[in-house]
Amino acid sequence: MPPKVELHPHLTLQELKVRYRQATSISEARRWQLLHLVAQNWTIKRAAQAVDLNYDYAKEIVRRYNQGGPAAILSRTCQHKVSARSLLTIEQQQELQQLLQQPAADGGEWAGPKVAQWIAEKTGRSHV
């Protein structure tokens, strides 16, 4: 049986649970849920399988958390991302925001492909 690991007490069990339930992305939620399970004495291997993460990556998450606390769990791409220029002007963004409040032109609901098509048409691109 793989050895269990101890988490440093940066956050309580309840705080870890809140973090994974309020995460803004699936990737972030998986990292917090992994830590929540490990804090309940699950092995890293078992917790990684439960949240569908690679074992080596799961070990890295636990190591980062123990060394750097909650801030070390945030997505590194989010921490270093330079905001790209939007394809839409401010006016087009506002127009899209209003459109999303009502049914799509075909009467259905808005979804990613429909929004991408609308953006492509507005910007003169072949696809987005």
Side-chain angles (χ1 to χ4, degrees):
M1 179 181 224
K4 293 182 181 161
V5 67
E6 291 285 327
L7 284 186
H8 290 246
H10 297 292
L11 297 173
T12 66
L13 188 62
Q14 183 61 32
E15 289 169 326
L16 288 169
K17 185 176 183 177
V18 168
R19 296 275 177 123
Y20 90 74
R21 288 191 168 181
Q22 293 180 348
T24 57
S25 73
I26 292 172
S27 298
E28 182 184 348
R30 283 181 177 162
R31 290 190 296 269
W32 287 116
Q33 188 174 19
L34 172 89
L35 293 170
H36 182 252
L37 294 173
V38 171
Q40 295 176 75
N41 295 318
W42 286 41
T43 64
I44 295 175
K45 182 178 181 179
R46 184 174 165 219
Q49 289 171 340
V51 298
D52 197 28
L53 288 175
N54 173 283
Y55 173 68
D56 290 330
Y57 180 58
K59 287 192 313 187
E60 174 66 15
I61 291 168
V62 170
R63 185 193 63 74
R64 281 184 7 215
Y65 178 78
N66 279 342
Q67 289 180 349
I73 298 308
L74 300 176
S75 173
R76 290 180 175 188
T77 56
C78 290
Q79 291 172 351
H80 298 102
K81 186 189 282 186
V82 175
S83 296
R85 196 178 123 248
S86 176
L87 294 176
L88 300 175
T89 65
I90 298 295
E91 293 79 22
Q92 290 169 329
Q93 290 177 30
Q94 290 171 345
E95 182 181 353
L96 177 59
Q97 193 74 17
Q98 290 175 352
L99 282 173
L100 294 175
Q101 302 305 314
Q102 48 195 289
D106 65 3
E109 292 191 23
W110 284 98
K114 289 181 187 178
V115 173
Q117 182 181 358
W118 185 89
I119 293 171
E121 290 170 4
K122 278 291 180 180
T123 59
R125 295 174 177 258
S126 60
H127 69 282
V128 174

